[in-house]
Amino acid sequence: MKKLIFSIFLFYGGFIGGFADEFSDNKIETKFSAMELYQKAVECESSGNFKEALKYYKLSAQKSLKKSSDLSLQSVSNLEQSLKSELILSPKINLPPQTDKQSNSKSKINKNNQNSQENELFWGITAYQNNYFLPISYSSYKGTHKDITSEFSISLKKLIASDIIGLNEDYYFAYTQLSWWDIYADSSPFYENNYQPEIYTQIPVDFYNFNHIRLGFLHDSNGKSELESRSWNRIYSSFELDFGKLSLTPRLWLRLPDNEDDNPAIVKYNGIIDLTAYYKLPSGSFIQSIFSNNLRFDKENKSSFELRYLHYIGDGFYIYLSGFSGYGYELVYYNKYQNRIGIGIAFR
């Protein structure tokens, strides 16, 4: 940016402005050296006074031109580099440093914009959680299905409104479906589907490592009837702590009462809090973990832990490896302890 401005004024500076301005500028040019004029330009630009900055860049260039009658674009570049070197070595120049807070804030904005562009699919719909297909998924709890099945997830979100209350907040509708397919059985039935429509608002936060706060409503059910029916509603709050490659997202929820409770002990097994950790690797791959707990500090304590590794292979696709231990992996078996491992492909 500076090089472009510098070059423009180097070749066309003599034709810009009226005679009165030229007279005033000539006085300034005579009084100060090229280095001092360049320093003044940098100070003006740092304070946001771009009009004055352009003026002093012009004068600095004109001052330097008087020392040479043959100046090419290459010499313009060399001149600028020379001035920059003098600027760095000069003890008189103190450029305002970028604070860690400003750096983190710009990093968060760039990260959010980049994620939005990468995840957009169509009609403003973007990927929400992991979208994946695991052709091989082993479970230690057999139930009514084989111990090796397959599973997949579809998870999308759509921005529906923004900045209603003036906090620069966004409002989303999201939908996630988890399906388990007994593909290696004779008739290959789908033995469980979990449907999770969700609405939430996300409020950006610029305070140390805080990234955003999220408030939402989540419904979770399996669409079955009688003894295998599972359904519950909850409101939740969460926030994200951003440490660059590592982010931590604690979430706390409250179950809403149901007139007909198909699973009265679901909070005992699925917990009331979880913590999601996300670590991005240099290759574009990442590791994700989710720990949940019911916060009962006695023999009734129940928890679950899932560890995921997504190896980036290009165009938003990953090789997906998942391991799980605990309760609540599927709604129909929410109160059955199981260990699971699966491998497949994911999209984000």
Side-chain angles (χ1 to χ4, degrees), residues 61-72:
Q62 290 176 339
K63 186 80 173 182
S64 300
L65 271 172
K66 291 181 179 180
K67 299 179 182 180
S68 174
S69 60
D70 183 17
L71 195 62
S72 64

Side-chain angles (χ1 to χ4, degrees), residues 94-197:
N94 294 309
L95 297 180
Q98 186 182 45
T99 65
D100 292 338
K101 183 176 180 181
Q102 291 172 331
S103 178
N104 290 340
S105 176
K106 290 180 180 179
S107 174
K108 291 175 186 177
I109 294 171
N110 291 337
K111 178 180 176 182
N112 292 337
N113 290 340
Q114 182 180 7
N115 288 342
S116 176
Q117 293 173 358
E118 288 178 351
N119 292 343
E120 186 168 353
L121 302 174
F122 52 88
W123 303 331
I125 295 174
T126 59
Y128 182 36
Q129 300 176 18
N130 296 329
N131 293 271
Y132 63 83
F133 173 63
L134 305 181
I136 299 176
S137 179
Y138 168 81
S139 173
S140 62
Y141 181 76
K142 188 174 180 179
T144 59
H145 55 80
K146 290 183 174 293
D147 54 358
I148 298 179
T149 61
S150 67
E151 63 179 271
F152 66 84
S153 170
I154 299 172
S155 186
L156 306 170
K157 70 178 186 290
K158 167 71 175 176
L159 179 67
I160 54 178
S162 295
D163 202 24
I164 293 178
I165 59 176
L167 296 177
N168 200 26
E169 76 282 2
D170 292 323
Y171 298 86
Y172 290 91
F173 173 77
Y175 176 77
T176 301
Q177 180 175 322
L178 303 168
S179 297
W180 288 266
W181 188 5
D182 200 3
I183 193 172
Y184 303 107
D186 292 337
S187 58
S188 302
F190 282 84
Y191 68 88
E192 175 75 344
N193 294 287
N194 293 169
Y195 310 100
Q196 298 176 350

Side-chain angles (χ1 to χ4, degrees), residues 250-268:
R251 179 177 64 160
L252 176 69
W253 60 81
L254 174 67
R255 184 187 180 185
L256 301 177
D258 294 317
N259 293 330
E260 296 183 5
D261 195 348
D262 299 323
N263 30 246
I266 195 167
V267 172
K268 173 183 175 181

Side-chain angles (χ1 to χ4, degrees), residues 5 9 21 24-25 28 37 41 44 49-62:
I5 295 171
F9 278 105
D21 289 338
S24 176
D25 290 351
I28 296 174
L37 292 169
C44 290
N49 191 344
F50 298 107
K51 183 176 180 180
E52 286 294 304
L54 294 175
K55 171 183 174 181
Y56 285 108
Y57 277 129
K58 165 192 168 183
L59 294 174
S60 176
Q62 290 176 339

